[in-house]
Amino acid sequence: MAKQEDQFKKVVAHAKEYGYVFQSSEIYDGLSAVYDYAQNGAELKKNIREYWWKSMVQLHDNIVGIDAAIFMHPTTWKASGHVDAFSDPLIDNKDSKKRYRADVLVEDFAEKLETKAQKEIKKAEKRFGEAFDKAEFEATNPKVLKYRAEKQALLDKLGKLLEEEKLDEVKAFIEELGIACPVSGSKNWTDVRQFNLMFGTKLGASAETAMDLYLRPETAQGIFVNFANVQKTGRMKIPFGIAQTGKAFRNEIVARQFIFRMREFEQMEMQFFVRPGTQKEWYDQWKETRLKWHLSLGLGEENYRFHDHEKLAHYADAASDIEFNFPFGFKELEGIHSRTDFDLKAHEKFSGKKLQYFDPELNESYTPYVVETSIGLDRMFLAVFSNSLQEEDLGDGKTRTVLKLPAVLAPTKAAIFPLVKKDGLPEVAKQIVADLKWDFNVIYDEKDAVGKRYRRQDAAGTPFCITVDHQSLEDNTVTIRHRDTMEQKRVKIEELSAIIDQEVNMKHWLSKM
Ligand code: ATP
């Protein structure tokens, strides 16, 4: 645990030091759970967004993208259920005055049982060595089975109490489990209350006529209310999808995991409209497609897992999370939800407008079912960034800090150095920058010894360093160094563009899916 926390601290510090993520309004001591993306962070975020957009919109001829407004008519949120049901159960510790999500307290407690099960598995792995059959052990070891059954029983009970809105029993459950406040260590809890997560604001100048609005807590509703408009103007035939990326706002209570849980964040969502009865097929297919998208970035298959929901939201008939192995353990990165016809039916009812589709093949009209894929851009950023940050042992007591971002997402693709600041080398290096910058984000750097410049770019995540030396003046060649292997090769200046393109072009990465 201490090691995990350590790694997480390093991630946060590195993100600041190398111009990726700053705390919002830091000069005023910051704003809790709000962050700004800095010069490198903005580029990385843009590249992730583009990688998603290309794969979802550009490469699917039946998916189109829109950009709906953050403000929406307030009835939207009545229809979607957010006004009545978008809330978290909260509990305060009377001694520390800290506020927690009651469900998270119980879930964290249950997770400790999983940690115990994992310990048993690790112990056995050591004992049996090569002959160890993990699946067999997990399925038969009495201790592992006991821990997991206990964990499941806790989660089942929690799910039932929340579903039945028995908040006083949730409090009793927390007391029964002996859960203490991590800050004060006391078990002196208030009652559990529901707290709506939407931020309210007002539209209009005068107090009497102003209209109460919400900042959208998800981008999905902007797609549902535009369903008929897009279907007609785009002459879309079912099955088809509408995608968008954009900001969403939630007044999160437990917000202490850097950009994992923010109050202002960005979502990348796609709602896929299908014939009723076919939703299960599409749900399975989108789970598979989305996992392939993640795997195409090469962050390691072992770092992803599905978590199928047993307790479903009011609108869903199936739901699964793609969880990622963050520095603080496996947590939700993306949700894939089979949302039935709940949203379109609800908007039809509240707006009085028909939101149906005439299916020419069946010769009938129906309300389409929806399968959605919903990923947090900031969480994806954290997944990529934390996984890429590595401390490498180079032997002889030497180490280097390297940010092994997938080259396709790296903010800067290449740094170009003159070996020395004289003899015409800077001019050649600057000309290379001038030529490459039409296609790639590149930078020029002449400060410090070359070794130090390499280390700086390694830590910043730049996949290539190109060095101009005296030989370059004679034969138009330079050395190109790869961040991950540190291998250096002598190549012709005119080949640079093709070499970089081969490694950073989205086409090469996405075609692996
Ligand atoms: P969680 O259970 O972690 O609160 P959620 O199930 O409420 O997440 P969804 O409503 O399904 O999340 O939103 C879809 C995606 O949006 C999530 O998978 C996550 O990547 C992202 N997301 C949700 N809330 C936040 C947040 N506060 N900060 C950053 N990303 C978020």
Side-chain angles (χ1 to χ4, degrees):
M1 199 60 191
K3 204 170 155 217
Q4 274 192 352
E5 270 169 30
D6 236 32
Q7 172 64 11
F8 189 39
K9 275 192 192 143
K10 273 188 196 149
V11 166
V12 177
H14 198 88
K16 180 173 179 194
E17 188 179 345
Y18 285 87
Y20 278 87
V21 183
F22 300 149
Q23 199 172 20
S24 157
S25 12
E26 199 193 70
I27 58 166
Y28 295 105
D29 297 331
L31 191 61
S32 163
V34 187
Y35 291 90
D36 295 341
Y37 286 88
Q39 62 279 15
N40 285 322
E43 292 287 339
L44 173 56
K45 197 174 167 200
K46 173 172 74 67
N47 292 343
I48 297 173
R49 194 189 293 112
E50 194 185 338
Y51 196 69
W52 181 89
W53 189 272
K54 267 218 159 91
S55 118
M56 298 299 274
V57 181
Q58 192 171 327
L59 295 178
H60 282 99
D61 44 18
N62 60 350
I63 300 179
V64 290
I66 66 167
D67 184 10
I70 288 171
F71 290 140
M72 298 185 70
H73 193 282
T75 309
T76 310
W77 307 110
K78 269 303 266 179
S80 67
H82 282 82
V83 171
D84 296 323
F86 193 58
S87 51
D88 279 342
L90 294 187
I91 191 165
D92 292 37
N93 182 269
K94 289 186 192 162
D95 298 312
S96 67
K97 308 271 184 280
K98 289 272 173 214
R99 182 163 283 183
Y100 299 93
R101 263 173 63 178
D103 54 335
V104 172
L105 284 181
V106 177
E107 279 166 12
D108 286 352
F109 184 89
E111 200 50 38
K112 286 189 188 144
L113 293 162
E114 177 59 28
T115 312
K116 285 187 181 167
Q118 291 296 338
K119 267 197 190 138
E120 291 299 325
I121 297 168
K122 283 245 160 65
K123 262 200 317 209
E125 211 162 9
K126 262 199 187 145
R127 205 164 57 233
F128 294 114
E130 294 247 309
F132 184 59
D133 182 341
K134 190 170 169 214
E136 168 82 13
F137 185 81
E138 284 185 295
T140 54
N141 179 269
K143 278 193 183 160
V144 171
L145 290 175
K146 178 175 149 282
Y147 288 139
R148 291 205 167 145
E150 278 175 21
K151 173 186 159 185
Q152 199 50 49
L154 291 185
L155 294 179
D156 288 349
K157 181 166 173 187
L158 173 70
K160 196 156 176 289
L161 293 179
L162 289 174
E163 207 165 288
E164 292 168 4
E165 303 231 353
K166 292 185 175 156
L167 298 184
D168 46 343
E169 290 188 35
V170 174
K171 180 188 178 187
F173 193 31
I174 289 173
E175 286 171 340
E176 182 191 317
L177 294 172
I179 297 175
C181 165
V183 176
S184 67
S186 97
K187 297 170 190 167
N188 194 8
W189 298 108
T190 62
D191 287 343
V192 179
R193 285 166 299 122
Q194 290 288 8
F195 176 82
N196 195 296
L197 298 179
M198 284 196 292
F199 283 103
T201 185
K202 286 193 186 299
L203 182 92
S206 82
E208 303 82 60
T209 57
M211 189 183 203
D212 285 318
L213 289 190
Y214 295 105
L215 299 185
R216 67 180 177 196
E218 62 174 26
T219 54
Q221 300 304 324
I223 288 179
F224 292 127
V225 301
N226 278 301
F227 163 76
N229 276 343
V230 173
Q231 191 274 320
K232 287 198 186 87
T233 57
R235 294 186 298 127
M236 308 302 291
K237 288 205 174 63
I238 270 179
F240 74 89
I242 305 177
Q244 79 168 323
T245 69
K247 288 275 175 111
F249 303 82
R250 296 182 188 179
N251 200 356
E252 299 278 7
I253 301 311
V254 185
R256 53 186 144 81
Q257 283 164 325
F258 192 40
I259 55 172
F260 180 82
R261 191 176 298 287
M262 301 155 90
R263 298 203 162 105
E264 173 180 344
F265 60 100
E266 191 164 337
Q267 289 188 314
M268 307 192 285
E269 295 199 302
M270 191 278 300
Q271 273 68 35
F272 200 69
F273 299 90
V274 305
R275 256 186 210 163
T278 64
Q279 69 270 23
K280 176 78 176 75
E281 253 164 75
W282 286 110
Y283 170 71
D284 290 339
Q285 184 161 331
W286 278 111
K287 272 175 76 175
E288 192 186 319
T289 307
R290 291 303 304 147
L291 184 63
K292 278 193 190 154
W293 180 84
H294 286 284
L295 295 180
S296 73
L297 287 168
L299 303 185
E301 208 168 335
E302 69 286 1
N303 289 318
Y304 299 87
R305 71 181 187 197
F306 279 113
H307 168 237
D308 294 329
H309 289 215
E310 277 150 38
K311 179 178 171 265
L312 295 169
H314 59 279
Y315 52 75
D317 70 1
S320 186
D321 298 335
I322 297 179
E323 294 187 338
F324 184 77
N325 191 9
F326 286 99
F328 34 83
F330 275 96
K331 293 268 185 253
E332 173 177 345
L333 169 60
E334 169 158 9
I336 292 130
H337 309 130
S338 176
R339 286 182 84 125
T340 69
D341 55 2
F342 174 85
D343 302 88
L344 289 180
K345 279 248 168 82
H347 287 304
E348 200 167 59
K349 182 171 145 215
F350 277 80
S351 68
K353 306 275 169 14
K354 243 190 162 26
L355 296 177
Q356 292 211 335
Y357 172 76
F358 177 74
D359 192 326
E361 280 172 37
L362 299 180
N363 203 24
E364 63 177 65
S365 291
Y366 53 76
T367 309
Y369 270 48
V370 173
V371 174
E372 80 173 356
T373 70
S374 173
I375 175 172
L377 175 49
D378 314 85
R379 277 194 199 176
M380 185 62 198
F381 184 111
L382 183 59
V384 170
F385 191 87
S386 59
N387 182 276
S388 302
L389 184 60
Q390 294 170 23
E391 203 62 43
E392 234 175 41
D393 188 352
L394 301 176
D396 295 337
K398 283 195 211 136
T399 58
R400 69 164 178 158
T401 301
V402 53
L403 188 62
K404 290 187 171 176
L405 297 172
V408 66
L409 301 180
T412 304
K413 304 304 187 195
I416 295 100
F417 312 149
L419 184 65
V420 289
K421 269 189 268 184
K422 55 182 184 184
D423 305 334
L425 303 189
E427 286 72 12
V428 177
K430 281 179 187 165
Q431 186 56 49
I432 294 175
V433 170
D435 291 341
L436 291 179
K437 74 178 176 192
W438 293 95
D439 296 312
F440 312 105
N441 249 345
V442 292
I443 55 162
Y444 173 81
D445 188 6
E446 60 175 23
K447 195 168 174 291
D448 301 317
V450 164
K452 210 164 173 190
R453 281 181 258 170
Y454 284 155
R455 288 291 176 273
R456 193 152 59 224
Q457 294 306 323
D458 286 346
T462 310
F464 295 107
C465 290
I466 294 159
T467 306
V468 175
D469 56 17
H470 291 94
Q471 190 183 328
S472 312
L473 301 178
E474 286 158 27
D475 62 5
N476 278 327
T477 62
V478 289
T479 56
I480 182 161
R481 173 187 178 273
H482 286 249
R483 174 196 66 198
D484 297 350
T485 58
M486 295 192 286
E487 216 172 63
Q488 299 187 26
K489 258 198 204 146
R490 208 146 189 114
V491 301
K492 292 220 170 73
I493 290 176
E494 69 206 43
E495 291 168 352
L496 284 173
S497 181
I499 294 171
I500 298 171
D501 185 76
Q502 184 59 32
E503 300 272 334
V504 309
N505 195 320
M506 289 198 181
K507 184 174 169 183
H508 305 311
W509 291 73
L510 284 171
S511 58
K512 279 186 287 186
M513 262 179 79

